[in-house]
C-alpha cells in the first residue's frame, strides 16, 4: 500500500472526527483555490525572471544560462500541475455546490410534504363533497332569485282593451269638437245682393261703384269660407 493510501486510510479511520458540513467544505475549497491562484502568479513571475536571466547571459555565460532554463522548466512543470489541481478542485466545488443545492431542495420538499400532510389530516373528502354540493345548490338558488327579480312583473287588471280604445276615441273626438267650436266662422253679409244689371237693349252694361264693391266683398267672404271648410276637413282626418 502506498504512503498516500495509508494517509487517507488513517485519516478516515478516525470515527471521532465528524464530517464537515457542505458550507465548511465549500469554504475550504475556495481557500485552496485562492492559495493555488497566488502560487500560479508567483510561478509565472519566476518563469519570466529565469527567462530574462537566460537571455542576459546568453553566449557569455552558458552555464548560468542553462541553469536559468532548467529552473524555468521546473517552474513551468509546477505551474502545469497547479493548473490541473485547480481544475480538479473547481470541478469538486461545483459538484459539492450542486449536491448541497439538491439536498436543500429535497429537505424543503420534505418539509412541504409534511405540512401538506398535516393540513390534509383534518380534511374529510366526504365533507368536501357535501360542501361543494351545498355551494352549488346555493349558487343555483341565487341565480333563480336574480332571474326572478329581473323578470317583468305584470298584474292582471281585468280591463277590456276594446273598451279602453273606444273611450280613447271618444276623448279624441271631444277634443276635436272643442277645437272646431273655437274656430271663428265668417259673418253673414248684412247688405243685400247687388241688383241684376239692366240688359235693356241700347244701354251699356255696367255697374255702379257701390254694386262693384259689394260683389268684391262677397267674393272675398266666399274664399274665406272655402279656406275654413278645408281646414276643418284637415283636422277631422
Amino acid at each position: 500500500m502506498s504512503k498516500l493510501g495509508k494517509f487517507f486510510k488513517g485519516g478516515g479511520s478516525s470515527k471521532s472526527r465528524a464530517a464537515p458540513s457542505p458550507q465548511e467544505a465549500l469554504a475550504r475549497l475556495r481557500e485552496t483555490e485562492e492559495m493555488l491562484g497566488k502560487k500560479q502568479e508567483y510561478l509565472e513571475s519566476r518563469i519570466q525572471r529565469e527567462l530574462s536571466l537566460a537571455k542576459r547571459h546568453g553566449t557569455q555565460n552558458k552555464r548560468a544560462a542553462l541553469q536559468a532554463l532548467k529552473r524555468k522548466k521546473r517552474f513551468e512543470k509546477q505551474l502545469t500541475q497547479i493548473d490541473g489541481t485547480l481544475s480538479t478542485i473547481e470541478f469538486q466545488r461545483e459538484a459539492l455546490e450542486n449536491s448541497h443545492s439538491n439536498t436543500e431542495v429535497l429537505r424543503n420538499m420534505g418539509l412541504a410534504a409534511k405540512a401538506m400532510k398535516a393540513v390534509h389530516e383534518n380534511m374529510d373528502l366526504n365533507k368536501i363533497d357535501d360542501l361543494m354540493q351545498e355551494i352549488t345548490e346555493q349558487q343555483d338558488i341565487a341565480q333563480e332569485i336574480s332571474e326572478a327579480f329581473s323578470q317583468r312583473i305584470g298584474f292582471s287588471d281585468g280591463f277590456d282593451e276594446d273598451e279602453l280604445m273606444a273611450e280613447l276615441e271618444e276623448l279624441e273626438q271631444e277634443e276635436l269638437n272643442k277645437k272646431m267650436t273655437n274656430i271663428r266662422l265668417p259673418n253673414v253679409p248684412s247688405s243685400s245682393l247687388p241688383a241684376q244689371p239692366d240688359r235693356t237693349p241700347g244701354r251699356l252694361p255696367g255697374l255702379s261703384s257701390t254694386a262693384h264693391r259689394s260683389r268684391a266683398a262677397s267674393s272675398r267672404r266666399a274664399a274665406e269660407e272655402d279656406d275654413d271648410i278645408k281646414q276643418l276637413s284637415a283636422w277631422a282626418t
Side-chain angles (χ1 to χ4, degrees):
M1 184 180 293
S2 63
K3 294 182 179 180
L4 187 61
K6 291 181 180 179
F7 174 77
F8 283 106
K9 183 178 180 181
S13 62
S14 178
K15 296 182 179 180
S16 60
R17 182 179 301 175
S21 64
Q23 292 84 356
E24 293 176 355
L26 289 173
R28 294 290 182 86
L29 289 174
R30 292 190 181 96
E31 290 176 359
T32 304
E33 284 181 320
E34 185 177 356
M35 179 190 66
L36 293 177
K38 291 180 180 179
K39 192 170 183 180
Q40 273 183 328
E41 295 176 358
Y42 170 74
L43 291 174
E44 289 173 354
S45 63
R46 286 300 302 270
I47 290 171
Q48 294 297 327
R49 180 180 174 184
E50 298 299 332
L51 182 60
S52 299
L53 288 174
K55 289 180 180 179
R56 186 170 68 245
H57 290 297
T59 58
Q60 298 177 0
N61 190 350
K62 291 184 178 181
R63 184 179 179 180
L66 291 173
Q67 292 295 327
L69 291 174
K70 289 180 181 179
R71 289 191 297 271
K72 184 179 80 69
K73 292 294 183 181
R74 290 198 304 268
F75 293 148
E76 288 177 350
K77 185 178 181 180
Q78 292 180 17
L79 185 61
T80 302
Q81 292 175 351
I82 289 175
D83 289 339
T85 303
L86 281 173
S87 297
T88 304
I89 291 176
E90 184 178 0
F91 174 77
Q92 188 178 13
R93 177 176 55 79
E94 291 176 355
L96 183 58
E97 288 176 348
N98 292 332
S99 299
H100 177 60
S101 299
N102 294 334
T103 302
E104 289 295 324
V105 171
L106 182 61
R107 186 175 66 86
N108 293 332
M109 291 177 66
L111 293 175
K114 290 180 180 179
M116 291 178 65
K117 183 178 180 180
V119 171
H120 292 160
E121 284 180 353
N122 298 326
M123 290 186 180
D124 187 0
L125 293 178
N126 295 327
K127 292 182 179 179
I128 294 175
D129 292 338
D130 295 339
L131 178 61
M132 295 304 298
Q133 184 176 0
E134 184 177 355
I135 291 174
T136 303
E137 292 177 357
Q138 294 301 322
Q139 288 179 348
D140 294 339
I141 293 173
Q143 182 66 26
E144 292 178 0
I145 293 174
S146 299
E147 292 178 356
F149 283 150
S150 62
Q151 289 178 358
R152 184 176 180 180
I153 300 175
F155 297 100
S156 178
D157 46 19
F159 296 124
D160 189 1
E161 293 288 337
D162 295 335
E163 293 181 358
L164 293 176
M165 291 299 297
E167 184 176 357
L168 179 61
E169 291 178 357
E170 291 179 0
L171 293 175
E172 292 177 351
Q173 186 64 35
E174 182 179 352
E175 186 67 21
L176 180 61
N177 295 335
K178 290 181 180 179
K179 291 180 180 180
M180 293 177 66
T181 304
N182 294 330
I183 295 174
R184 294 183 60 186
L185 297 176
N187 297 324
V188 178
S190 57
S191 60
S192 60
L193 294 176
Q196 185 69 22
D198 189 4
R199 299 185 182 273
T200 305
R203 186 177 179 183
L204 294 175
L207 297 174
S208 63
S209 60
T210 303
H212 182 72
R213 286 194 300 270
S214 177
R215 180 173 293 180
S218 298
S219 298
R220 286 196 300 271
R221 291 191 187 94
E224 290 178 356
E225 290 178 358
D226 292 337
D227 292 338
D228 292 337
I229 292 172
K230 290 180 180 179
Q231 187 174 3
L232 290 175
S233 300
W235 287 346
T237 55

